[in-house]
C-alpha cells in the first residue's frame, strides 16, 4: 500500500523531560492504526504532530501529495451558538464547492453520524453527540487520513458500536489513540505502543490487538532472556578482570572494551525491563454487614420521561453492579438515587447504618487546575494517611507513577490520564463500604485499567460501576443493569446479552412504527424503504422517517421552482436571486436525502 504520511526521527520534549525520541512512523492506505502507551508518553502530542497542529523539536513530517488530513481532538472547540449544519459547512469553507454542494455534503455527513435535525444547536448537545459532531466535521472534508484522539470518551455503547462499524468500512486510513481494548480489537489492523520498554521507544505490530499482545509478549520474553544472557556474560568478564587481566596486548584491550560494552547494554536492557505500575488498592472499612444497599420497587422520571421503574435488588459486600445504557438513559440519576443524593418517585433505598460511600467523579470537578500536584495530593501537609500509616507526599505520588520533579506542576498541565490518576490517589485515602465509580476509565492507560480491574475484584466491599468499557464490565461486574432510556431496566449476564436485547427492542419498535404507517398512510409512488436488517437504533429511526422527509423536501423544491418561474418576480432581480438560492438549497436537500437513503439501503442489502 502506498504511504499517505511519513514521519522520520520525530522528537518532542516537555520542558526538560523527553516525551519521545527518534520516532519514525509511516501511515499507509488502508491502515487502521491503534496508538497506545502509558499516560504521559506523548500519544496526544504525537497525534497533533501527525495532524500538523504542532511542530516536533526534531525530525520531519512529510504528507503525500493529495492527502487530506482530518483531526478529532480529545476536547472539541465547537461554537456553542452554531447549528450542526453550520459547523460542517464552515469546515468546508476552504474547498472549491458551491454553497448547495456544501449543504449536501453536510447533510450526508450528519446523516452518517446519526443526526436527524441539521438545525439543532451545539449548545444543546450532550457530550456524546458533541463527539459525534466532531467526527462528522472531520468526515465532511472526505479525508485521506483521519486522526482520532480518545474518540470513545463520552460516547455511549451504541455510539461506540457505530464508530467501530464506521472505521471498519472506511475508505480512508486512520490513527486512533484509545485505551478501549475491545475497540482496539474490533477497529484496528495495526497497533503501535509508545513505551520506553522497547528499543527506540516504541513497538509496532500488524494485526488485531490480540495479535499485538501475542507479539509483544514474545518480544518482551526475548528481551528478558537477553538480560539473563547478558548478566551471565558480564559476570564471566568481571571474573576475568578480577584475575588481573593485562591491557598490554591488543587482544586483552579488546576484551576489556567488550566487557564495558556488555555492561552498558545490560544496564540499558535492565532499565527497559523494569516496569512501573500505579499502586491501586481500595481501602475497605471491614464491615461485616450482609446487606449494604437495599433497593425496593424504585421508580424515577425526569419530566415526562420515565427513566426506570419498579427496580429492586440488594447490594452486598464482594458484589459489583455494572450499569450501562445510552447517554440520557438515566445512569447518573440512578447513581444519585442509590447514594441518597436524590429521592425516588416511588419505592425506597435503604442503607446499612453509618454506611461509607466514596464517589469517583467522571467530570473531575474536584480538581483545581491552578493548584500544584503536591498540594492536590496533600493539601494540609507534606504527607497523607493511608490505611492508618503516614506516607510522604513524594512516595504517595510515586505510587501513582509521578516523578518528584512533577510535584510542583499544576494539575491543569497534566495529561488527562495523569489527572485521572490524581483523582484515584485522592479517592483511595477514604475507606469505604461502597465504591461508586462513574466512568473511571476515561483517559487511563491500559496497564492502569488492568490494575483497576484487579483492585475492584479484590475489594471486600461493594462496587457500583458505570462504564462504557465493555471489557472491564465483562471482567469485574457480578451482574449488569441495563437502562434502555424508555423506562425499562433489566439485568444481564454480560455486555453481549445486553446488546442483543437492545437490538430486539429496536426491531420491535421499528415494526410497530411500520405497522402504524401502513394503517395511517395511503399507498404512494414515492420510494418506500424495505424492512432493514442491519441498522443501529438511530439509523432505524432515520430510515423510518425517510419517506416523509423525501416527500416534504420534494414538495419544498416544487414550491421554490414555482416561485422562481412566477412572472410576478421577473422584474425583481433581488427576488429572483432569493428564489434561486432557495431552489439550490432545496435541491441540495433532496440530493442529500436520496444519497443517504442509498447509503442506508446498501447497509441492509
Amino acid at each position: 500500500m502506498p504511504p499517505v504520511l511519513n514521519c522520520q526521527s520525530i522528537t518532542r520534549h516537555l520542558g526538560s523531560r523527553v516525551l519521545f525520541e527518534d520516532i519514525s512512523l509511516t501511515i499507509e492506505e488502508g491502515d487502521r492504526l491503534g496508538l497506545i502507551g502509558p499516560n504521559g508518553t506523548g500519544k496526544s502530542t504525537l497525534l497533533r504532530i501527525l495532524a500538523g497542529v504542532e511542530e516536533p523539536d526534531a525530525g520531519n513530517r512529510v504528507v503525500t501529495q493529495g492527502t487530506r488530513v482530518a483531526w478529532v481532538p480529545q476536547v472539541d472547540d465547537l461554537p456553542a451558538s452554531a447549528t450542526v449544519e453550520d459547523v460542517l459547512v464552515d469546515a468546508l469553507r476552504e474547498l472549491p464547492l458551491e454553497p448547495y454542494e456544501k449543504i449536501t455534503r453536510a447533510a450526508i455527513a450528519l446523516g452518517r453520524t446519526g443526526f436527524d435535525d441539521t438545525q439543532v444547536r451545539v449548545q444543546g448537545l450532550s457530550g456524546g453527540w458533541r463527539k459525534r459532531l466532531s467526527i462528522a466535521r472531520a468526515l465532511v472534508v472526505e479525508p485521506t487520513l483521519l486522526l482520532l484522539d480518545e474518540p470513545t470518551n463520552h460516547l455511549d455503547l451504541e455510539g461506540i458500536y457505530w464508530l467501530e462499524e464506521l472505521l471498519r468500512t472506511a475508505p480512508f486510513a486512520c490513527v486512533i489513540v484509545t485505551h478501549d481494548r475491545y475497540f482496539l480489537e474490533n477497529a484496528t489492523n495495526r497497533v503501535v505502543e509508545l513505551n520506553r520498554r522497547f528499543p527506540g521507544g516504541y513497538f509496532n505490530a500488524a494485526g488485531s490487538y490480540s495479535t499485538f499482545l501475542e507479539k509483544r509478549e514474545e518480544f518482551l520474553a526475548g528481551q528478558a532472556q537477553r538480560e539473563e544472557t547478558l548478566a551471565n556474560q558480564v559476570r564471566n568478564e568481571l571474573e576475568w578482570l578480577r584475575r588481573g587481566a593485562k591491557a598490554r596486548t591488543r587482544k586483552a584491550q579488546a576484551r576489556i572494551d567488550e566487557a564495558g560494552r556488555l555492561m552498558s547494554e545490560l544496564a540499558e536492557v535492565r532499565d527497559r525491563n523494569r516496569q512501573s505500575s500505579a499502586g491501586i488498592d481500595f481501602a475497605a472499612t471491614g464491615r461485616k454487614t450482609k446487606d449494604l444497599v437495599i433497593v425496593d420497587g424504585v421508580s424515577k422520571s425526569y419530566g415526562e420521561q420515565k427513566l426506570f421503574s419498579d427496580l429492586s435488588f440488594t447490594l452486598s459486600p464482594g458484589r459489583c453492579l455494572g450499569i450501562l445504557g445510552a447517554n440520557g438513559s438515566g445512569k447518573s440519576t440512578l447513581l444519585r438515587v442509590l447514594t441518597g443524593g436524590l429521592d425516588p418517585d416511588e419505592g425506597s433505598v435503604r442503607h446499612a447504618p453509618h454506611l461509607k460511600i466514596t464517589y469517583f467523579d467522571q467530570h473531575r470537578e474536584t480538581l483545581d487546575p491552578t493548584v500544584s500536584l503536591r498540594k492536590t495530593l496533600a493539601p494540609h501537609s507534606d504527607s497523607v494517611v493511608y490505611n492508618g500509616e503516614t506516607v510522604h507526599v513524594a512516595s504517595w505520588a510515586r505510587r501513582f507513577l509521578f516523578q518528584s520533579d512533577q510535584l510542583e506542576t499544576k494539575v491543569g498541565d497534566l495529561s488527562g490520564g495523569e489527572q485521572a490518576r490524581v483523582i484515584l490517589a485522592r479517592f483511595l485515602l477514604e475507606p469505604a463500604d461502597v465504591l461508586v465509580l462513574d466512568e473511571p476509565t476515561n483517559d487511563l492507560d491500559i496497564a492502569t485499567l488492568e490494575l483497576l480491574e484487579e483492585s475492584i475484584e479484590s475489594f471486600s466491599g461493594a462496587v457500583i460501576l458505570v462504564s462504557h468499557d465493555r471489557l472491564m464490565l465483562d471482567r469485574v461486574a457480578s451482574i449488569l443493569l441495563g437502562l434502555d432510556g424508555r423506562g425499562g431496566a433489566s439485568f444481564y449476564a454480560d455486555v453481549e446479552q445486553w446488546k442483543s436485547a437492545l437490538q430486539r427492542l429496536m426491531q420491535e419498535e421499528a415494526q410497530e412504527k411500520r405497522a402504524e404507517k401502513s394503517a395511517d398512510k395511503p399507498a404512494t409512488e414515492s420510494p418506500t424503504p424495505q424492512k432493514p436488517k442491519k441498522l443501529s437504533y438511530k439509523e432505524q429511526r432515520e430510515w423510518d422517517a425517510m419517506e416523509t422527509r423525501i416527500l416534504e423536501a420534494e414538495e419544498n423544491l416544487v414550491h421554490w421552482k414555482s416561485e422562481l418561474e412566477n412572472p410576478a418576480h421577473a422584474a425583481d432581480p433581488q427576488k429572483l436571486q432569493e428564489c434561486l438560492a432557495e431552489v439550490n438549497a432545496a435541491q441540495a436537500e433532496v440530493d442529500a436525502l436520496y444519497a443517504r437513503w442509498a447509503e442506508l439501503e446498501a447497509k441492509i442489502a
Side-chain angles (χ1 to χ4, degrees):
M1 288 287 188
V4 295
L5 186 147
N6 186 37
C7 284
Q8 290 293 328
S9 302
I10 296 294
T11 298
R12 192 71 165 88
H13 297 84
L14 182 62
S16 60
R17 184 162 64 98
V18 178
L19 282 180
F20 46 81
E21 189 173 23
D22 203 27
I23 297 286
S24 295
L25 193 62
T26 299
I27 314 299
E28 300 179 346
E29 289 182 6
D31 265 346
R32 298 195 305 276
L33 189 152
L35 183 60
I36 65 174
N39 296 137
T41 53
K43 300 181 297 296
S44 294
T45 301
L46 178 58
L47 204 67
R48 287 194 292 270
I49 290 173
L50 295 179
V53 177
E54 283 191 20
E55 291 294 326
D57 294 328
N60 299 304
R61 166 186 177 269
V62 179
V63 180
T64 304
Q65 186 175 7
T67 294
R68 183 177 291 122
V69 180
W71 176 52
V72 180
Q74 278 192 54
V75 181
D76 68 66
D77 57 351
L78 300 170
S81 60
T83 67
V84 295
E85 182 183 74
D86 292 338
V87 171
L88 268 61
V89 169
D90 183 65
L92 295 167
R93 64 185 180 278
E94 295 182 3
L95 297 184
L97 300 172
E98 296 295 330
Y100 76 90
E101 292 177 304
K102 294 179 180 179
I103 294 173
T104 301
R105 271 212 201 179
I108 293 172
L110 289 170
R112 289 179 68 189
T113 45
F115 286 89
D116 296 326
D117 184 359
T118 62
Q119 299 306 307
V120 66
R121 296 196 178 275
V122 172
Q123 59 195 10
L125 299 177
S126 67
W129 283 101
R130 288 179 71 100
K131 181 67 74 175
R132 284 185 182 239
L133 182 58
S134 294
I135 295 170
R137 181 169 63 174
L139 294 177
V140 77
V141 300
E142 298 181 355
T144 315
L145 174 61
L146 178 63
L147 307 173
L148 298 162
D149 195 355
E150 297 290 358
T152 63
N153 282 1
H154 307 299
L155 285 180
D156 55 25
L157 282 176
E158 183 189 339
I160 292 172
Y161 287 126
W162 158 79
L163 183 57
E164 283 180 353
E165 181 62 25
L166 172 73
L167 296 179
R168 269 199 301 263
T169 59
F172 46 77
C174 57
V175 179
I176 312 155
V177 172
T178 183
H179 299 128
D180 187 319
R181 292 154 290 179
Y182 275 166
F183 190 85
L184 283 166
E185 178 69 18
N186 296 332
T188 66
N189 59 16
R190 182 179 163 207
V191 179
V192 173
E193 179 177 352
L194 293 184
N195 199 318
R196 293 195 174 277
R197 297 170 67 187
F198 308 113
Y202 67 104
F203 184 73
N204 186 359
S208 65
Y209 179 61
S210 55
T211 301
F212 164 82
L213 291 177
E214 293 172 0
K215 293 180 178 179
R216 185 181 68 176
E217 287 309 306
E218 289 175 4
F219 176 85
L220 292 176
Q223 185 167 268
Q225 182 62 45
R226 177 60 178 164
E227 179 182 347
E228 184 177 344
T229 301
L230 283 170
N232 290 332
Q233 289 178 329
V234 167
R235 191 179 302 112
N236 292 335
E237 293 305 305
L238 288 176
E239 289 175 359
W240 176 77
L241 287 171
R242 289 192 189 100
R243 289 197 299 267
K246 297 180 181 180
R248 287 178 294 183
T249 67
R250 183 176 300 176
K251 183 177 180 179
Q253 182 61 52
R255 186 167 180 180
I256 292 172
D257 293 342
E258 177 64 9
R261 188 195 66 77
L262 288 173
M263 284 186 282
S264 296
E265 184 180 352
L266 175 61
E268 182 181 336
V269 173
R270 276 181 174 166
D271 185 59
R272 290 204 302 268
N273 285 338
R274 188 180 299 116
Q275 299 184 46
S276 296
S277 58
I280 301 174
D281 184 15
F282 296 118
T285 62
R287 178 192 289 267
K288 302 301 182 182
T289 308
K290 181 179 179 181
D291 299 331
L292 299 176
V293 180
I294 302 172
V295 180
D296 185 15
V298 165
S299 299
K300 188 66 181 178
S301 298
Y302 182 75
E304 296 182 357
Q305 181 187 3
K306 177 74 75 173
L307 297 177
F308 43 86
S309 59
D310 197 27
L311 185 59
S312 298
F313 62 88
T314 299
L315 201 56
S316 304
R319 301 282 288 175
C320 176
L321 173 69
I323 301 175
L324 70 169
N327 291 333
S329 61
K331 299 188 297 296
S332 295
T333 300
L334 177 57
L335 287 185
R336 293 178 63 195
V337 170
L338 295 180
T339 56
L342 189 65
D343 292 329
D345 297 336
E346 300 174 9
S348 64
V349 177
R350 300 193 302 277
H351 292 169
H354 311 295
L355 187 73
K356 291 187 177 181
I357 300 175
T358 58
Y359 198 111
F360 184 97
D361 180 16
Q362 66 161 314
H363 301 294
R364 301 177 187 164
E365 294 172 352
T366 57
L367 294 182
D368 185 341
T370 65
V371 176
S372 69
L373 174 62
R374 178 192 298 275
K375 287 298 182 184
T376 301
L377 293 178
H380 307 299
S381 66
D382 280 339
S383 61
V384 299
V385 178
Y386 177 65
N387 281 342
E389 297 183 0
T390 301
V391 182
H392 191 271
V393 65
S395 298
W396 187 244
R398 281 196 299 274
R399 182 184 177 100
F400 295 90
L401 308 183
F402 293 107
Q403 303 300 317
S404 298
D405 59 4
Q406 291 181 274
L407 287 174
E408 303 308 323
T409 302
K410 291 182 179 179
V411 168
D413 293 332
L414 299 175
S415 71
E418 288 171 327
Q419 290 181 10
R421 293 207 305 267
V422 172
I423 296 177
L424 279 172
R426 290 165 46 137
F427 187 71
L428 295 182
L429 295 176
E430 300 181 34
D433 301 306
V434 178
L435 298 176
V436 179
L437 305 173
D438 188 2
E439 293 294 352
T441 65
N442 284 350
D443 301 317
L444 290 180
D445 59 45
I446 292 174
T448 307
L449 286 177
E450 292 170 346
L451 285 170
L452 178 60
E453 290 167 352
E454 293 171 5
S455 300
I456 291 173
E457 289 181 309
S458 63
F459 179 63
S460 61
V463 179
I464 301 173
L465 171 65
V466 175
S467 180
H468 297 139
D469 189 312
R470 293 159 288 174
L471 184 57
M472 175 172 283
L473 287 170
D474 281 343
R475 179 176 175 184
V476 306
S478 309
I479 191 75
L480 293 178
L481 175 60
L483 306 183
D484 63 16
R486 305 161 188 80
S490 303
F491 291 98
Y492 302 95
D494 55 33
V495 174
E496 194 61 31
Q497 189 182 67
W498 169 82
K499 180 184 177 184
S500 298
L502 189 63
Q503 288 175 335
R504 286 195 299 271
L505 178 62
M506 291 188 298
Q507 290 170 358
E508 290 170 2
E509 287 188 347
Q511 290 171 356
E512 291 175 3
K513 288 181 180 178
R514 283 195 294 273
E516 291 174 2
K517 286 186 176 182
S518 298
D520 296 340
K521 290 190 176 183
T524 176
E525 295 181 0
S526 294
T528 303
Q530 301 298 312
K531 179 181 178 181
K533 299 178 182 178
K534 300 178 182 178
L535 301 182
S536 69
Y537 174 66
K538 292 292 184 183
E539 290 171 333
Q540 180 71 63
R541 290 176 55 194
E542 185 182 2
W543 177 274
D544 292 336
M546 190 61 73
E547 178 185 355
T548 302
R549 293 178 65 188
I550 288 176
L551 287 173
E552 291 174 349
E554 288 182 336
E555 289 173 1
N556 187 48
L557 177 59
V558 169
H559 166 73
W560 284 109
K561 282 185 175 180
S562 176
E563 285 293 299
L564 182 62
E565 296 168 359
N566 190 339
H569 304 324
D572 188 346
Q574 183 175 353
K575 184 64 176 178
L576 287 175
Q577 286 294 327
E578 292 175 0
C579 291
L580 180 60
E582 293 291 350
V583 167
N584 287 336
Q587 184 66 60
E589 184 177 6
V590 170
D591 292 343
L593 287 171
Y594 273 102
R596 179 57 176 162
W597 174 37
E599 187 175 357
L600 292 174
E601 188 174 43
K603 281 193 172 187
I604 61 174

